[in-house]
């Protein structure tokens, strides 16, 4: 048994913790049995107690509220269930209790009951007028108002997803401030460079469960059921305490919808074409490349069952020769509430998808071959990557509310993907269980604790055979002081046991404060740590991509880091329009940071050109971000907007050791905001945009909806030198020299809704037909057009 690569405790204590964590995971069945006995014991408590029961709703909307705290003076109590119902056991005679829920005005009630009496008391809570109507759960695992969080978090609502025809998750993320994607890898505030499907520092979470594959540890954006998404929460900064490995740069948490009081059936169909490139000699097609697809969904609430179904099918032939995909996806989830126990619910989520795609790696040259792949389209020289995927996910879950006011949540996921390559195939299985306990104590303390366990098994012709177990325990407490100050503190400890290494990970901490300085101003400060284990692809993949090669690195070490932030949020209300403006300053440190490097790894000459992931000792980033978001009506016009600007100074401390001095680093960060010399640029991390801005605005008037989106990316100053030194592929230095002022991309959309339940929209992306390449050697799409039709019943 090996000790952790980053030991913090003495070896004896590390081994004791590791043994204890494994024992917990091996005996989780015993814990479930004990939990059930505890619930039965609680259910048969003294019959002489009185019972107060009822439903808690929003006074303005009438919607039931989940997780409302009802606490007696002795600090015992309960919380409302999935239907907003509560059942509170009281001693006979006069009793006082409080009712509290984040985002709503608290209430104090007094009741007098006879021994054994059961009385119904329905409650209505009043929303706080100065707070936003946006609730998030990602930061604490219970609903919290957006302005009361201690870290930066952006929310993309379902309305934005639908109106922009975001048919995959990566489409939607292009609207999130401070976020961009390079070849499918999410980057939050410059925390990730170019990795091309090999690991991720951003953890994708779907309905509280991690959604990274066992073999590549990457996110499959097309697997997310966008037709059933309620909202997307983007956490910025290290978040490993509650979510574990890979949440080093942040978390993208997708919450799918449950049915409302009325059934809903909907369909969306769309089609689109790519326009001609600016330079006619780059056009390789006779018939324009196109995209077409459809989404279907049905949501319905039965007496004791909730049902959600969704389906997607699409075909796309892109502007890049040989890059195309065909997809079919099915999604659904069921939730049951047994008649004999209103405090219990259980269910199953499921997803399946088939994806046949060819992925474009790099151009043939920057002139006539800018839209054609290096090495042509035929094997063995082509750099196109042909893959066929089949994915399946089964997600059982159970939620139980006990009479002490606690909530027990057990969630699992069996995630299987099977991949067919041109010359081999492989499969991976990832199963996990997450037990989580949430409990309000006193009037202003919420505790979240639990454990996670993961088992993976990979059998791949390229990666080999691998198995392993990972697990962790975590604890977080949220406390409110004086109705204005909120604090949170969390701790996590992990162990891992794989076929290549085992041990205990270093403890992970988080802490945060949020102070309401006035009715509209919220100040916050936070600190969080994170870590990431190398993916199997990074350590073991050895394959050819035409004339290029992917090289393994079995000595790759885990990377870890921390993020600190200071922020201010100002809520804005104008009539029925509500929004906020937010400013944040952040500092991020990475240790043993890994980067995907293009170089000559095979010896003299250009014959060994390829990609390999290596550790660079340390990285440090300092940045600032301004964000604005809001929605509502001003007069007769509805205005929806989201946008922001981010500046980051991403320093590679192994390239410029002077930045290890905090004073020098701060001076460089300030100086580099406006101008940068060659010495400054040589110390930057590669594949980052130091300046990035975006805005999506939409106006709705009567039956018309008009929208526009603007994105600006500054010049990417540093790339791998080998692209320029070897001239393979040709044209990269010349293209970069002629496109060194950054890129401004504009999109527009116009929609008409002839009825309340139907709409037709025309969308133009890259409306000015800007020629640009966010990732070196791969041109982004020229002007392209979409036609979208939506109908709900």
């Amino acid at each position: 048994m090996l000790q952790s690569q980053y030991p913090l405790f003495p070896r004896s204590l590390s081994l004791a913790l590791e043994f204890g964590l494994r024992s917990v995971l091996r005996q989780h069945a015993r814990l479930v049995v004990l939990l059930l006995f505890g619930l039965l014991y609680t259910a048969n408590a003294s019959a002489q107690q009185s019972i107060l029961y009822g439903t808690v709703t929003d006074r303005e909307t009438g919607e039931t509220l989940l997780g409302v705290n009802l606490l007696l003076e002795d600090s015992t109590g309960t919380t409302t269930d999935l239907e907003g119902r509560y059942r509170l056991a009281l001693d006979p005679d006069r009793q006082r209790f409080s009712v509290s829920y984040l985002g709503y005005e608290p209430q104090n009630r007094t009741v007098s009951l006879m021994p054994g009496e059961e009385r119904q008391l329905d409650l209505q809570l009043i929303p706080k007028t100065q707070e936003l109507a946006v609730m998030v759960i990602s930061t604490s695992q219970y609903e919290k108002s957006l302005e009361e969080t201690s870290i930066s978090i952006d929310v993309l609502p379902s309305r934005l997803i639908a109106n922009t025809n975001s048919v995959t998750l990566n489409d939607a993320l292009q609207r999130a401030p401070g976020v961009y994607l390079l070849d499918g890898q999410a980057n939050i505030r410059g925390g990730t460079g170019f990795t091309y499907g090999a690991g991720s520092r951003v953890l994708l979470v779907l309905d509280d469960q991690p959604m990274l594959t066992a073999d590549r540890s990457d996110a499959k954006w097309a697997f997310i059921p966008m037709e059933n998404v309620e909202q997307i929460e983007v956490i910025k900064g290290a978040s490993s305490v509650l979510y574990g490995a890979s949440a080093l740069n942040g978390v993208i948490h997708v919450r799918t919808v449950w049915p409302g009081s009325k059934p809903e059936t909907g369909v969306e169909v769309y089609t689109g074409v790519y326009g001609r490139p600016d330079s006619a000699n780059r056009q390789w097609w006779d018939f324009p490349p196109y995209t077409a697809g459809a989404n279907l969904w049905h949501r319905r609430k039965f007496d004791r069952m909730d049902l959600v179904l969704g389906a997607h099918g699409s075909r796309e032939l892109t502007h890049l020769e040989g890059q195309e995909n065909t997809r079919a996806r099915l999604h659904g989830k069921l939730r049951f509430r047994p008649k004999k126990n209103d405090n219990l619910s259980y269910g199953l989520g499921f997803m399946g998808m088939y994806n046949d795609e060819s992925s474009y790696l790099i151009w043939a040259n920057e002139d006539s071959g800018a839209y054609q792949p290096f090495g042509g389209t035929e094997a063995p020289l082509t750099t196109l990557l042909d893959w066929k995927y089949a994915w399946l996910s089964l997600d059982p879950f159970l939620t139980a509310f006990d009479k002490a006011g606690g909530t027990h949540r057990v969630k699992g996921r069996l995630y299987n993907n099977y991949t067919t390559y041109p010359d081999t195939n492989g499969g991976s299985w990832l199963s996990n269980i997450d037990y989580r306990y949430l409990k309000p104590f006193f009037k202003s303390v919420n505790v979240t604790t639990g454990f996670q366990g993961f088992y993976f098994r990979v059998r791949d012709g390229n990666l080999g055979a691998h198995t392993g177990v990972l697990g962790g325990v975590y604890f977080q407490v949220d406390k409110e002081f004086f109705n204005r100050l909120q604090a949170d503190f969390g701790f996590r400890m992990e162990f891992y046991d794989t076929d290549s290494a085992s041990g205990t990970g270093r403890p992970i901490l988080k802490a945060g404060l949020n102070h309401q300085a006035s009715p509209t101003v919220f100040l916050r400060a936070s600190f969080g740590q994170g870590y990431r284990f190398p993916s199997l692809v990074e350590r073991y993949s050895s394959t050819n991509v035409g004339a290029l090669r992917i090289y393994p690195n079995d000595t790759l070490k885990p990377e870890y880091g921390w993020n600190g932030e200071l922020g201010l949020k100002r809520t804005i209300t104008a009539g029925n329009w509500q929004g906020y403006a937010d400013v944040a300053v952040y500092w991020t440190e990475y240790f043993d940071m890994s980067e995907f490097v293009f170089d000559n790894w095979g010896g003299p000459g250009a014959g060994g050109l390829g990609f390999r992931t290596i550790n660079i000792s340390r990285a440090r980033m300092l940045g600032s971000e301004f964000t604005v978001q809001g929605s509502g009506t001003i007069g007769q016009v509805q205005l929806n907007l989201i946008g922001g600007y981010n500046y980051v100074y991403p320093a590679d401390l192994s390239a410029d050791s002077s930045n290890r001095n905090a004073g020098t680093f701060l001076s460089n960060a300030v100086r580099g905001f406006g101008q940068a010399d060659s010495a400054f640029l040589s110390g930057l991390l590669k594949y980052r945009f130091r300046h990035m801005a975006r805005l999506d605005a939409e106006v709705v008037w009567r039956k018309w909806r008009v929208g526009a989106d603007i994105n600006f990316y500054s010049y990417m100053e540093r790339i791998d030198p080998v692209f320029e030194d070897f001239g393979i592929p040709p044209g990269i230095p010349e293209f970069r020299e002629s496109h060194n002022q950054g890129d401004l991309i504009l999109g527009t959309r116009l929609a008409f809704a002839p009825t309340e339940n139907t709409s037709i929209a025309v969308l133009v992306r890259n409306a000015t037909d800007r020629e640009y390449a966010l990732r070196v050697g791969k041109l982004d799409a020229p002007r392209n057009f979409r036609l979208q039709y939506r109908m709900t019943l």
Side-chain angles (χ1 to χ4, degrees), residues 215-216 354-357 385-391 417-427 460-461:
D215 50 1
R216 285 167 174 76
Y354 173 78
N355 187 31
D356 184 353
E357 72 175 25
L385 303 175
D386 293 319
W387 292 330
K388 291 182 176 66
Y389 296 101
W391 297 317
N417 66 285
Y418 185 82
T419 307
T420 301
Y421 310 99
D423 54 352
T424 185
N425 54 58
D460 189 284

Side-chain angles (χ1 to χ4, degrees), residues 127-139:
K128 293 181 179 179
T129 56
Q130 296 295 335
E131 295 198 356
L132 304 175
V134 180
M135 307 297 288
V136 296
I137 66 171
S138 298
T139 57

